[in-house]
Amino acid sequence: MIAARLAGVVAILFVISIITFALLYFAPGDLVKNLIGTRPVNAETIVAIRDRYNLDDPVVVQYLTWLGNALRGDFGESIRMQEPVSLVVGQRIGLTAVLCGLSFLIAIAVSIPLGVASAVRRGSVVDKAATSATLVGLSAPSFVVGLILLYAFAYYLPIFPVYGSGDGLLDMLYHLILPAIALAASLGALLMRLTRAAMVRELASDYVTSLRSRGVRSREVNRIALRNATIPIMTGGGLVLTFLVSGTILVEAVFSLPGIGTLLQDAVLYKDIPVVQAVTLLLALVIAVIALVVDFSYLAADPRVRARFVGGRP
Amino acid sequence: MTDTVSVSGLSVRAGDRVLVEPLDARIEGAHCLGLIGESGSGKSLTARALVGLLPPGIVASGQVDFGGNRIDLSLPDRDAAWGEVRGRRAVLLLQDPFTSLSPVHRCGEQIAWSFAARDRAVSDSSTRLGRRSHRRYAAEVAALLAELNLDEAVAQSFPHELSGGQRQRVAIASAMATRPDLLIADEPTTALDASNQGEVLDLLRGLQRQRGMAMILISHDLGLIRGRADEVVVMRAGHVIERGETSSVLSSPRAEYTQALIAANPSIESLGHVHPDDAIASTSTAAHKATSLLEVRGVTKAFGGHTAVEAVSLEVGAGEILAVVGESGSGKSTLARCITGLEMPDAGEILLNGVPLPAGRRGRTPGQMQIVFQDPYSTLNPIFSVRQTLAEALRASGRHGADSEVDELLARVGLDASLAARRPSQLSGGQRQRVSIARALAPDPRLLICDESVSALDVLVQADILDMLAALRSSLGLTILFITHDLGVVSRLADRVAVMSGGALVETGPTVQVLNAPKHPYTMRLSAAARSNSLLANQGEAGGSHDGV
């Protein structure tokens, strides 16, 4: 089963690489013009450039050339920066990873306790306030949240820096707090709703009635119910976790952070196919891995799934 | 011996609607009060009101007194208000062992939670239930499991690894662990198989007596209460209809309603008396030899590594009612699903009128056979009116679905044509099940398969529907394959019985013969259990001394 899943991931990556390559090939814009810019043009330069990037080959050959190199671990050279793609991506991946991780932690730390509290005290002030707040988080795009945060906490109240990524880990964390909150808003809102719905269902179930009639305290009952609710929370949470990966592109742009998102944005505008290909595949791989991890975490969370997986009686 | 529990003026309301009229009761230690009623009678609400666990929007009033400690039942649902009562004074044991245990925690830990709650209530300390703190109670859990005839390994098992009977014993253990004055058992064996019911109830009754606990035993089944409750209260629509000593209420019921309940109780013993359908039964058994409508040959079906149905062969004669009996997990439902094509058998053949049917649903016509499922609440499309549901079924079988056809179907199942405009949510359980039978009758099927079709219904409704099915057989010449775990239902309806156990067919024969002179050990046990729980069994000593675990 694991082998089948891994094969599926490889197949998906393959299909995605074809689609991005084709989309970029058919997109308007000319790489030659991008490279030459405003400098005077002569025919020889154009021929040289077209030759260097194999632009005269049929698109299928261009793709196969790229695929052959990629399979050997060579993702080519960034056309715009004239550096190996692996180096360019490597320089920027750390920031994006920290940004995503930080915003994931913020989302979990806020939304799960809030979801539990709302479910336990349904209809209370806490529940109503939290539910309305999630409506904002769900409907406001992350770049709008980002701009509002910038205005409020970097310009009006200058507590946080306006842009940049800082030096060293601590300074970087400090610089990333506002972007991480902007990125966490929609994910956290979804997680809170999921947690609330799952907890409401668990708290209405028979085993909770049974526990309470046995005199087990509410705190413990909530903890036990939350343990049961992790299964639906993980299902939904795993799916929306991928939002983070795509949301980082917008947030990095708003906060001018030199991460993977801005790299991808620039590369698309410049028709820098090697970079776009590599970053898209990287993002797809991350999403596939997240999905895989979520599936396997069921094994840890649910003994019934574990029993089916190991085999034996259904 | 624990304190006497007395309830005074317990009533339950939802807004202005009174769901349970003021009720008084007094239960001494080691005594058991039976609370009898159909669904909607208010018996479960009464149970929940005693521990302050009513659903939102429903409030109780009145008082309960545990040996001098008076508790106001109208208190809001807070730890501070009810901490004194729950666990220490009263515990609720719920009906369904499949949902009343947390599926992701080991059984031993779940029992340990009760011990921890009791210790905290007694010592009034604020020790938290740490992640591993349940280990402290390992010895106590093991002792309790042994008292309930459960293996020590059960402590390390997850609920899904246990059978229904084992799970309910774990639930009993977790209720007993707090040593309450009062145990409120709400239909504690309804979800179990016949062979398990008596055993679990006797165990519960034994422990309760031995510990001197008071008990309220709630049931819709008078047969289960007999010999197990000292006193009985019969409820209907929130009112107490009749109360008194169990044996006298059962032997000489005063209220008409109680009499009707007793008469409707499906009882295996009715076979001993003159069976009104004997004539039909014998003629159709003769007919069965001449023409068999359905023939199943060596059907096998496995899920994963588990064989659910193993090489089952049986025949159903035209116009015959064959009951397939077995406990849950015996493969009877899977067999029905293979016959109807809802499941692909791994091996074997299914013949209708001597012609092999294709496996699966492709290539079949609705007129061949129809199935009626157990749960009338989920089997109908909730946004369709009865008329829409039936018209759709009629059109699916190539008819017009005209209003007159719908009315005719409704009349056939004894429903008034005025119900056609209603949605399922506006119908009672019995009415819904009649609609689903009408839907199954729409294509004029040769064979009707009923998969536990009356198990979810109240006794009186159950009896009506069984009578209706028998009448349909006579009027339409319908052949019925009836799947059930209830031998009382079998003896009321079936001409022949096929008994399944562990996926295999262990015994087949005429109903009278199989129930009165069972040959296979499993059938013997089933029959003995059904007899001891039956109302008409000897009224002297409480029955339930059957063996087998």
Side-chain angles (χ1 to χ4, degrees), chain A:
Chain A
M1 191 198 113
I2 302 172
R5 279 298 301 265
L6 290 177
V9 169
V10 171
I12 286 170
L13 291 181
F14 179 66
V15 171
I16 287 176
S17 77
I18 293 178
I19 294 174
T20 13
F21 200 94
L23 280 177
L24 235 60
Y25 177 82
F26 291 117
D30 183 6
L31 179 60
V32 180
K33 278 185 194 146
N34 287 342
L35 273 175
I36 296 174
T38 52
R39 281 167 287 182
V41 196
N42 74 35
E44 273 169 41
T45 328
I46 295 179
V47 169
I49 292 174
R50 295 196 73 88
D51 197 41
R52 178 158 192 263
Y53 296 109
N54 306 320
L55 293 182
D56 292 320
D57 290 347
V59 61
V60 178
V61 176
Q62 286 187 37
Y63 172 75
L64 289 177
T65 311
W66 172 85
L67 184 67
N69 289 331
L71 286 178
R72 283 196 303 274
D74 175 12
F75 286 89
E77 209 169 67
S78 162
I79 298 170
R80 187 167 63 100
M81 283 167 279
Q82 302 292 322
E83 280 176 359
V85 170
S86 47
L87 189 71
V88 175
V89 171
Q91 282 165 352
R92 293 165 168 249
I93 197 163
L95 180 112
T96 303
V98 173
L99 176 62
C100 288
L102 190 61
S103 88
F104 184 57
L105 285 182
I106 294 174
I108 286 197
V110 175
S111 63
I112 290 186
L114 214 53
V116 172
S118 294
V120 170
R121 280 179 284 279
R122 244 185 312 165
S124 70
V125 182
V126 179
D127 182 26
K128 282 176 184 149
T131 309
S132 329
T134 56
L135 196 63
V136 176
L138 280 173
S139 43
S142 54
F143 64 90
V144 174
V145 179
L147 286 174
I148 293 172
L149 287 174
L150 267 182
Y151 184 78
F153 298 106
Y155 172 75
Y156 192 72
L157 283 174
I159 312 172
F160 291 103
V162 179
Y163 66 91
S165 58
D167 305 312
L169 188 64
L170 273 182
D171 197 35
M172 178 154 93
L173 284 178
Y174 175 57
H175 276 78
L176 287 183
I177 285 180
L178 284 190
I181 293 175
L183 193 51
S186 59
L187 176 68
L190 268 170
L191 270 181
M192 184 271 170
R193 289 284 176 98
L194 282 171
T195 308
R196 184 179 181 278
M199 277 298 283
V200 164
R201 204 176 50 237
E202 294 301 328
L203 289 174
S205 59
D206 276 357
Y207 72 88
V208 166
T209 308
S210 163
L211 281 168
R212 303 188 61 200
S213 95
R214 276 140 65 189
V216 178
R217 293 294 153 95
S218 298
R219 277 177 75 102
E220 315 292 354
V221 173
N222 294 345
R223 198 175 55 89
I224 292 162
L226 183 60
R227 173 68 183 78
N228 274 283
T230 40
I231 298 155
I233 294 173
M234 268 181 354
T235 314
L239 289 174
V240 298
L241 198 59
T242 51
F243 280 25
L244 273 187
V245 181
S246 47
T248 180
I249 297 170
L250 288 171
V251 169
E252 283 177 19
V254 170
F255 289 90
S256 323
L257 294 170
I260 291 286
T262 37
L263 177 68
L264 183 64
Q265 187 194 4
D266 293 341
V268 169
L269 291 175
Y270 204 82
K271 266 201 142 175
D272 194 345
I273 291 187
V275 173
V276 176
Q277 282 288 73
V279 173
T280 320
L281 286 186
L282 180 68
L283 296 187
L285 183 68
V286 168
I287 290 172
V289 168
I290 290 173
L292 208 59
V293 168
V294 168
D295 279 4
F296 281 107
S297 58
Y298 288 139
L299 291 179
D302 194 338
R304 290 161 294 184
V305 178
R306 204 149 61 223
R308 269 204 298 280
F309 185 76
V310 178
R313 297 168 71 101

Side-chain angles (χ1 to χ4, degrees), chain A residues 121-122 202 204-221 223-231 300-308 311-314, chain B residues 48 51 53 56 77 79 83 86-88 90-92 94 96 99-106 110-111 113-114 117 120-121 127-131 158 160 174-175 178 303 305-306:
Chain A
R121 280 179 284 279
R122 244 185 312 165
E202 294 301 328
S205 59
D206 276 357
Y207 72 88
V208 166
T209 308
S210 163
L211 281 168
R212 303 188 61 200
S213 95
R214 276 140 65 189
V216 178
R217 293 294 153 95
S218 298
R219 277 177 75 102
E220 315 292 354
V221 173
R223 198 175 55 89
I224 292 162
L226 183 60
R227 173 68 183 78
N228 274 283
T230 40
I231 298 155
D302 194 338
R304 290 161 294 184
V305 178
R306 204 149 61 223
R308 269 204 298 280
R313 297 168 71 101
Chain B
R48 283 171 180 245
V51 283
L53 288 173
D77 177 10
D79 279 355
R86 294 180 191 154
R88 206 166 154 192
V91 167
L92 191 59
L94 296 167
D96 189 352
T99 58
S100 65
L101 296 171
S102 164
V104 300
H105 292 94
R106 294 181 195 276
Q110 306 205 33
I111 299 170
W113 292 335
S114 295
R120 194 173 30 210
T127 41
R128 282 202 54 197
L129 216 68
R131 234 181 122 63
F158 288 104
H160 72 267
S174 64
T178 64
F303 297 103
H306 168 59

Side-chain angles (χ1 to χ4, degrees), chain B residues 99-174:
Chain B
T99 58
S100 65
L101 296 171
S102 164
V104 300
H105 292 94
R106 294 181 195 276
C107 293
E109 185 178 356
Q110 306 205 33
I111 299 170
W113 292 335
S114 295
F115 281 119
R118 172 210 63 192
D119 281 358
R120 194 173 30 210
V122 172
S123 67
D124 214 32
S125 72
S126 58
T127 41
R128 282 202 54 197
L129 216 68
R131 234 181 122 63
R132 299 272 169 250
S133 63
H134 60 271
R135 299 230 170 114
R136 261 189 284 149
Y137 298 102
E140 281 175 277
V141 169
L144 195 53
L145 287 176
E147 265 190 278
L148 285 151
N149 301 338
L150 283 171
D151 195 81
E152 208 176 315
V154 166
Q156 291 306 314
S157 306
F158 288 104
H160 72 267
E161 297 167 338
L162 305 176
S163 72
Q166 287 173 317
R167 285 190 217 199
Q168 194 60 310
R169 283 178 221 206
V170 171
I172 292 172
S174 64

Side-chain angles (χ1 to χ4, degrees), chain B residues 11-76:
Chain B
S11 88
V12 179
R13 291 183 321 280
D16 294 335
R17 222 148 47 89
V18 179
L19 302 175
V20 177
E21 298 283 347
L23 174 136
D24 297 320
R26 192 181 145 81
I27 315 143
E28 284 176 35
H31 274 62
C32 174
L33 174 73
L35 208 54
I36 291 286
E38 300 186 87
S39 47
S41 63
K43 56 193 198 305
S44 287
L45 289 175
T46 306
R48 283 171 180 245
L50 285 171
V51 283
L53 288 173
L54 287 168
I58 297 182
V59 290
S61 58
Q63 284 177 327
V64 60
D65 184 307
F66 296 99
N69 281 16
R70 286 186 93 77
I71 310 285
D72 185 357
L73 293 175
S74 62
L75 288 175

